[in-house]
Amino acid sequence: MDGEELTEQETALYDRQIRVWGADAQRRLSKSHILVCGLKGTVAEFCKNIVLAGVGSVTLVDDRVVTDESLPANFLILPHENHYNGKTLAEVCCDSLKEFNPMVHVAVETGDISTFGVEFFEKFDAVIISCCSLGKKKLINQKCRKLSKRVAFYTVECRGSCGEMFVDLQDYKYSKKKLEETIECQIEYPSFEEAISVPWRALPRRVSKLYFAMRVIEQFEDVEGRNPGETSIADRLGVLKLRKELCETNSLDESQIPDALLERLLTDTREFPPVCAIIGGILGQEVIKAISGKGDPLKNFFFFDAMDGKGLIEDISGPSTRS
């Protein structure tokens, strides 16, 4: 992302940010291109944050038509029926985001993102995926990794009071200041498929229970051919059966995935706005760090549960990529 310097207009508009992270970091942001797929509340928060931060462009992908169910957590959708009648989530969110910062180019891409060729993703510096099936997450991550350039990849999901974020920066190099000197650092990340394939018995004993619970729900939806969030308490017995099978396969005590947590994830499928704000804010910070090359990046999962108010970072990696 080397190239042009910031314009006078950009320097004036982003003056406060430049004072925080420097002109070089802001220049990188201003020349960066972000792809976002799946526009629910958490992603709306993220998009608002990076548009205000001054990225170069944001491309939105979500062909779902706006309904009343889209409104509660997504503040980018104005609550007026005539405004969004017949429009897609991407179109409505695009119109709103343009008003936040006219210097950022916001556009809509139509179609099923899983059918886009590898070359399509080469235009972007970061790809953020939400509301996607297990198979689609793996596929898009693989396509990003096939490129000659490094494309940062993120998945984010929010279910009620719980949220999860995954980060893949591949072979990532960055610098940070320690006292008076600048230290060059390097971190190797596993792909999404590699991370979730790590045997549970090989993980540290105190890994977040939310990690295991999200994998059970994710696999249940995959086996049943459901879209993310298409679950209810009626699926309880099927989910508990799958939990038992996965725990036996991975030599994990079922108590590590409490019934109450699974039931919350099954029934609280709508997003909780305060949780969206927290996770969307953290996701924005991580993308800014990855693009600017400044600050320690998160590796590689982040979990938040409003029930206890805790946010946890977990490094779920195989031996070759463990920090």
Side-chain angles (χ1 to χ4, degrees):
M1 284 180 286
D2 295 329
E4 303 172 10
E5 297 298 320
L6 293 170
T7 64
E8 278 189 38
Q9 191 177 4
E10 287 173 325
T11 302
L13 180 61
Y14 304 127
D15 177 66
R16 285 188 178 183
Q17 295 164 196
I18 291 172
R19 292 171 189 269
V20 174
W21 52 56
D24 183 60
Q26 187 62 51
R27 180 184 62 80
R28 288 172 178 267
L29 279 176
S30 298
K31 309 307 174 190
S32 66
H33 304 287
I34 314 299
L35 176 66
V36 180
C37 177
L39 291 157
K40 292 180 73 176
T42 304
V43 173
E45 288 281 353
F46 162 74
C47 288
K48 177 258 295 181
N49 292 335
I50 60 167
V51 165
L52 290 175
V55 296
S57 73
V58 178
T59 301
L60 308 176
V61 182
D62 198 325
D63 291 340
R64 293 175 297 170
V65 175
V66 177
T67 65
D68 289 339
E69 293 183 354
S70 311
L71 295 175
N74 191 335
F75 63 88
L76 294 177
I77 305 173
L78 301 178
H80 306 298
E81 185 174 356
N82 292 335
H83 179 76
Y84 64 73
N85 188 30
K87 287 190 173 184
T88 66
L89 283 166
E91 290 170 336
V92 173
C93 292
C94 178
D95 291 341
S96 296
L97 286 169
K98 286 179 179 178
E99 297 182 11
F100 279 93
N101 187 349
M103 293 190 68
V104 176
H105 179 70
V106 186
V108 171
E109 187 76 35
T110 59
D112 181 352
I113 192 171
S114 65
T115 66
F116 297 173
V118 172
E119 65 283 353
F120 171 80
F121 298 93
E122 194 165 14
K123 299 179 286 186
F124 303 100
D125 300 294
V127 174
I128 292 80
I129 302 296
S130 184
C131 314
C132 288
S133 66
L134 175 61
K136 193 172 288 190
K137 291 176 187 176
K138 293 178 181 178
L139 177 62
I140 297 169
N141 190 198
Q142 289 170 0
K143 289 182 178 181
C144 290
R145 280 181 156 254
K146 287 180 179 178
L147 297 168
S148 56
K149 62 178 277 190
R150 182 183 61 79
V151 175
F153 175 84
Y154 304 80
T155 69
V156 60
E157 302 294 341
C158 184
R159 291 173 179 261
S161 59
C162 297
E164 173 189 82
M165 181 173 73
F166 168 78
V167 181
D168 176 17
L169 301 183
Q170 301 180 38
D171 187 11
Y172 181 66
K173 298 175 183 177
Y174 67 102
S175 60
K176 66 176 181 179
K177 283 191 174 181
K178 188 173 182 180
L179 299 177
E180 296 299 319
E181 59 180 329
T182 299
I183 301 173
E184 299 300 321
C185 306
Q186 182 172 356
I187 302 178
E188 188 176 348
Y189 286 74
S191 68
F192 179 70
E193 185 168 11
E194 289 169 339
I196 64 172
S197 297
V198 175
W200 292 355
R201 70 177 75 89
L203 298 175
R205 292 183 61 185
R206 296 182 65 84
V207 166
S208 171
K209 293 179 180 179
L210 191 51
Y211 170 75
F212 299 119
M214 291 291 279
R215 303 287 75 77
V216 173
I217 298 295
E218 190 176 60
Q219 288 201 36
F220 177 80
E221 290 173 339
D222 188 52
V223 170
E224 295 291 320
R226 311 268 188 92
N227 291 319
E230 289 183 352
T231 55
S232 69
I233 196 62
D235 297 311
R236 181 178 183 276
L237 292 179
V239 167
L240 293 181
K241 181 175 180 289
L242 179 59
R243 176 190 66 180
K244 183 177 189 217
E245 293 171 357
L246 290 173
C247 285
E248 288 177 350
T249 301
N250 287 279
S251 303
L252 184 75
D253 193 312
E254 287 186 55
S255 65
Q256 291 296 311
I257 317 175
D259 290 14
L261 178 55
L262 287 173
E263 289 172 8
R264 281 170 55 205
L265 294 176
L266 277 175
T267 57
D268 298 341
T269 54
R270 290 191 177 187
E271 294 176 302
F272 187 39
V275 176
C276 294
I278 291 169
I279 299 175
I282 292 172
L283 176 57
Q285 290 175 356
E286 289 303 314
V287 171
I288 288 171
K289 284 193 285 187
I291 292 171
S292 66
K294 292 194 173 183
D296 290 308
L298 182 156
K299 185 188 179 190
N300 56 343
F301 279 91
F302 174 78
F303 300 96
F304 180 79
D305 189 344
M307 292 293 285
D308 59 18
K310 291 181 180 178
L312 297 173
I313 297 173
E314 300 283 7
D315 183 352
I316 311 292
S317 308
S320 62
T321 56
R322 189 166 294 150
S323 298

